[in-house]
Amino acid sequence: VTSGEVLIDGVNVKEIDLEYLRKNISYVTQEAIIFSGTIDSNIRQGKVDATKEEIEKAAKLAVADEFIEKFEAGYKSPVNQGGANLSGGQKQRLALARALVRKPKILILDDSVSAVDAKSEALIKDNLRTLKDMTVIIIAQKITSIKDADYIIVLNNTGGLDGFGTHEELLETSEVYKEIYNSQLGGYHE
């Protein structure tokens, strides 16, 4: 933080034990990091002592179970270094399952479903809504990824704040949001 402060539940992050903080935050990037091994071992990277049930639940939340079950060896299926034998969307869902198996208090998704098809993305969003003890922060370029969020922060091209509010509020108050919305969805309101 170069100015101001970052608070979690009203407490400055500088006052929170770093190990505790790291244990309670999961971060998923757009470029999924996948390790050689198996589907199971990749998810287990998030929590080494995860049970079979926890791994399967995380995969289901990430809509990864859909493709895992199609593999002959299921969760024991081999994964090449970097996930070379998986599609972009499969890698992203596997990385999301790894983050979710930790049951973090804060989940940060940095454009992490950009390669996922629209149907799977909608299922993932629905699944994330069922998680009650988790704050989800989504960084995205697609309006469809964030329009149902409780709050949306819109940044302009220089990183300055252009708007804050709900989807509907931002359509009324943020020029940047309206421009993005119109370019992506042609101004169509659902």
Side-chain angles (χ1 to χ4, degrees), residues 35 64 112 164 169 186:
F35 306 98
S112 58
F164 175 80
E169 291 168 345

Side-chain angles (χ1 to χ4, degrees), residues 15-186:
E15 297 172 19
I16 300 173
D17 177 69
L18 191 57
E19 184 179 338
Y20 176 82
L21 192 62
R22 288 181 177 161
K23 208 179 269 190
N24 285 287
I25 297 175
S26 284
Y27 175 61
V28 185
T29 63
Q30 179 179 11
E31 189 63 41
I33 298 168
I34 305 298
F35 306 98
S36 61
T38 63
I39 298 282
D40 179 87
S41 69
N42 266 275
I43 297 173
R44 200 174 292 279
Q45 287 284 328
K47 183 180 178 193
V48 292
D49 62 344
T51 65
K52 178 181 179 208
E53 291 77 24
E54 288 174 317
I55 288 170
E56 289 175 358
K57 181 178 181 185
K60 185 175 179 69
L61 288 168
V63 192
D65 62 327
E66 162 189 287
F67 74 85
I68 294 169
E69 291 169 0
K70 291 179 182 173
F71 291 144
E72 190 174 319
Y75 287 85
K76 298 300 178 192
S77 298
V79 175
N80 296 343
Q81 183 65 32
N85 59 329
L86 300 174
S87 72
Q90 290 171 334
K91 288 189 268 191
Q92 286 184 334
R93 289 181 281 170
L94 186 57
L96 179 57
R98 178 188 310 128
L100 289 169
V101 78
R102 297 180 66 208
K103 298 177 189 150
K105 300 256 188 256
I106 299 172
L107 176 64
I108 302 171
L109 304 176
D110 189 354
D111 223 2
S112 58
V113 293
S114 60
V116 173
D117 64 272
K119 179 183 172 195
S120 295
E121 181 183 1
L123 290 171
I124 291 167
K125 287 187 338 187
D126 288 345
N127 291 343
L128 291 177
R129 267 191 219 96
T130 68
L131 304 174
K132 299 298 178 206
D133 295 329
M134 183 184 303
T135 296
V136 180
I137 299 170
I138 301 172
I139 302 159
Q141 296 178 35
K142 293 189 314 189
I143 294 281
T144 56
S145 296
I146 50 92
K147 73 181 201 73
D148 297 322
D150 294 336
Y151 299 103
I152 302 166
I153 298 171
V154 181
L155 302 178
N156 61 28
N157 289 339
T158 61
L161 181 66
D162 184 76
F164 175 80
T166 65
H167 170 73
E168 291 77 18
E169 291 168 345
L170 290 169
L171 284 174
E172 299 297 321
T173 61
S174 169
E175 287 304 315
V176 171
Y177 193 81
K178 280 190 277 193
E179 282 178 31
I180 296 168
Y181 179 80
N182 288 329
S183 72
Q184 291 181 8
L185 301 171

